[in-house]
Amino acid sequence: MSAPPARTLADLDGDVLAHCAGYLGPRDVASLALACRPLRAAAYSDAVWYRLFRDQWPFEKVPCRALGLRELYIRRHTEVHQMKYDDPLSAIYYLNPAETTPSHLMLDRNSIWLCQGPVAKKLSVDGPDAEVVETHRNHGARITCMRLFSLVDTPLFRSDTQKDEKALITSSTDRTIRLCWKGHSRCYKGHSAPVTALADKLLVDSESKVLASGGEDCTIRLWSMGTRAKNHPLIATFHGHEKALSFLSVARHKSSLLVSCSKDSKVKVWDTVAPSSGSSSCVGSAHINSSSSPIAMKCHESLCYIATGSEVTAIDLRTMKKASVLALEDHKILSCQMLPSEWLICTGIKDKALLWDIRKGQELPNTVAELQSDGPVTLLHLDQYKVVTGVPSDGQVHVWETRTGELLNALSCGEPARMGGRSTVSAMAVDGRRIATAGSSPEGSVLHYRDFVKSSAPVSLPGKEVSRFWRPHNDDSEGEDYY
C-alpha cells in the first residue's frame, strides 16, 4: 500500500492558512501569496484575513456584508495609523518642574525614553498612568543624542531572554558616550570636546558591531561594542572635517561605509573596514554650497539626502556627485523628514509644511500638498500614512494624510478637558499608531502618550463630515450583521 503523496504549499487551503495566520503577520501572508496561484487564492481568502483581523482587534465587530475582509483589515489598519479617532488609549505623566524640558523623545513598544538635561529616563505606559521604571544619571552634562539598538543585534546578546531588550546609547557635552542595558553600563571616553552625533545604525565589522560618534573636536571615532574590547574600545579616529559633526549615518547599500556631515555642510564617506587612524580611510567627499548648518540627513540605498538652508540635496555615494536638488527658493528649512522609498520629502518652514514628490524634476510642479500652520514648523514626522506637524508655541500637533494633505486630527499636549491657558509643545515622537508629546500646559510640564490601536470613535473636525463606517464595539445598533 503506497503512502499518500506529501502535501506541498500549493495544496494549502484557506482554512489551513488561516490557522497559520495565527503565527504569521499580514506581510508574511502577502509574501506567501507571491509563491504560486493556489497560495495566492488561499492567502486572499476571507478565512485568513478574518483570523488576522480578530488577532489584531479582538474587540472590534466585523460586519458580514461590508468590504472583503482583506480590504476591511487594510482600511482599519490605515485609519489606526492615521490616528483618525477621538478615543485613543492615553497616559499622562507630569514632569518635575525643577528639571529641564525634555530634549529627546523615543518610543519603544510600551515604553517612552526621554532625556532631561544629563538624565535619561524610561517610562512604562502599560496602564492609564505613565511610570518611570529606569533612570540613568551617568552623564555630567546635557545629553546631545540618543539611540536605541536591539540587544540581539549586538555582541552583548547572551540568551533568548534578552531578545526583546534594547541597549541605550547617549552622547553628551561632557565628552563621553554611555552604553546602558539591563543592569549594565559602559563609558566610552576619547573625544576632546562635546560629542554631538551618533550614527543611526551600527557598522558591521569583520569581527564585531561598531558604533560611530562625532564631536566638536571635528573627529569621528569608532568604538567596538564587543565584550573583549571593554577596556580598550576605541578602534580608530578619523580626521578630515574642519567643523563640528552634525550627522552620522551608515550607508544603506554597504554597511561598512559611514557618511558624515559637519556644520559647514561638508559630506564625507569613510571605509570603516580595517580602518587606519587619520584621513586615509576617507573614500569620498562633497560640499553643499550653503551658509547654513545642515537640518537633517538620511541615507537610502546608494543616495544620501541632506537638508540645509533652502535646499534638499541628494548625493550619489558611489560618485559623490549631486543626483538631484530640491530648492525652496526663498523659504528657509526649519525641519525636514525624508521618505525616499515612497518618493516623498516633507519640509517645515515659517508658516507651513510642504510635501514634495521627488520623482518630478525641479522644472515641474512637484508639491504634493501645503500643510498650513499658525507658526514655524520645527517638529515634523513623515511616514506612508501621515504627516505630523508641531509648532512649539501652539500646544498642539496636527495629523495630515500623506497623499492628499487632508487634516485628519489635532492633538493637544496637555489634557483637553483642562485646557484653558497657554500651552506649548517642545518634543514629539511618533511610531506607527502611537505618539508622545512633551511640553507645558496650565497643569505644568507634561508628557502625553496616545495609542490608537483600540480606538473606535471617529474624530470630528469642524466643517468635516465624519464617516461612521467603524462602529464602536459597544454599539448595539440594529440592522447590521456581524461575525
Side-chain angles (χ1 to χ4, degrees), residues 47-358:
V48 170
W49 290 93
Y50 177 77
R51 175 64 180 267
L52 290 171
F53 193 101
R54 302 310 302 170
D55 287 345
Q56 184 69 24
W57 302 290
F59 49 84
E60 194 72 41
K61 294 181 178 179
V62 184
C64 292
R65 293 186 297 274
L67 299 170
L69 286 176
R70 178 173 174 269
E71 288 74 18
L72 197 67
Y73 180 99
I74 293 172
R75 180 167 177 176
R76 168 71 179 177
H77 176 84
T78 299
E79 293 188 344
V80 164
H81 279 70
Q82 290 179 337
M83 304 180 178
K84 297 174 66 173
Y85 297 94
D86 265 336
D87 58 343
L89 298 174
S90 180
I92 299 285
Y93 176 73
Y94 290 101
L95 304 169
N96 186 342
E99 297 179 330
T100 59
T101 303
S103 56
H104 300 83
L105 285 180
M106 192 173 293
L107 290 168
D108 176 33
R109 293 190 174 90
N110 293 327
S111 301
I112 305 172
W113 284 96
L114 64 90
C115 294
Q116 292 179 280
V119 180
K121 296 179 181 179
K122 181 181 180 181
L123 279 68
S124 171
V125 287
D126 282 329
D129 297 317
E131 178 185 5
V132 177
V133 292
E134 289 184 35
T135 301
H136 301 279
R137 302 181 184 275
N138 300 315
H139 288 292
R142 177 178 58 87
I143 292 173
T144 57
C145 191
M146 175 172 63
R147 302 289 188 211
L148 280 177
F149 297 116
S150 294
L151 212 61
V152 70
D153 294 330
T154 73
L156 308 173
F157 181 73
R158 290 292 176 269
S159 66
D160 288 342
T161 59
Q162 298 176 308
K163 63 182 180 180
D164 294 329
E165 293 183 16
K166 297 288 181 71
L168 173 70
I169 302 179
T170 54
S171 61
S172 171
T173 56
D174 66 3
R175 307 180 183 184
T176 67
I177 300 159
R178 293 281 181 170
L179 168 64
C180 301
W181 70 105
K182 212 163 190 178
H184 304 276
S185 66
R186 189 179 297 176
C187 181
Y188 296 148
K189 296 181 180 180
H191 283 281
S192 59
V195 185
T196 53
L198 296 172
D200 58 348
K201 293 180 63 178
L202 297 177
L203 292 152
V204 178
D205 195 312
S206 57
E207 296 181 357
S208 179
K209 294 293 181 72
V210 176
L211 171 69
S213 64
E216 288 187 6
D217 56 6
C218 306
T219 67
I220 297 168
R221 299 182 188 250
L222 303 185
W223 312 89
S224 173
M225 296 189 69
T227 54
R228 294 181 180 179
K230 180 178 179 180
N231 297 324
H232 303 283
L234 183 61
I235 298 174
T237 302
F238 294 156
H239 302 272
H241 282 287
E242 299 172 351
K243 296 293 183 180
L245 275 297
S246 295
F247 298 102
L248 295 173
S249 181
V250 178
R252 296 306 187 259
H253 69 296
K254 190 174 182 181
S255 58
S256 63
L257 292 181
L258 178 69
V259 185
S260 62
C261 184
S262 55
K263 289 188 181 298
D264 56 1
S265 298
K266 289 185 178 179
V267 181
K268 294 183 181 294
V269 179
W270 310 84
D271 187 350
T272 62
V273 175
S276 60
S277 292
S279 59
S280 58
S281 294
C282 182
V283 295
S285 62
H287 185 206
I288 299 173
N289 297 321
S290 174
S291 59
S292 303
S293 298
I295 301 299
M297 184 174 84
K298 185 179 183 67
C299 289
H300 175 69
E301 296 179 346
S302 61
L303 295 177
C304 180
Y305 295 83
I306 301 114
T308 180
S310 59
E311 295 182 348
V312 181
T313 304
I315 295 177
D316 190 329
L317 299 177
R318 298 166 298 183
T319 63
M320 298 310 293
K321 303 293 184 182
K322 292 182 180 179
S324 63
V325 177
L326 175 65
L328 276 66
E329 298 180 353
D330 298 328
H331 296 296
K332 181 181 179 181
I333 298 175
L334 302 176
S335 57
C336 184
Q337 288 285 311
M338 299 102 165
L339 195 63
S341 60
E342 301 288 333
W343 305 101
L344 292 172
I345 288 178
C346 192
T347 55
I349 58 176
K350 64 179 181 180
D351 57 357
K352 57 190 162 186
L354 300 171
L355 194 60
W356 307 88
D357 185 339
I358 58 178

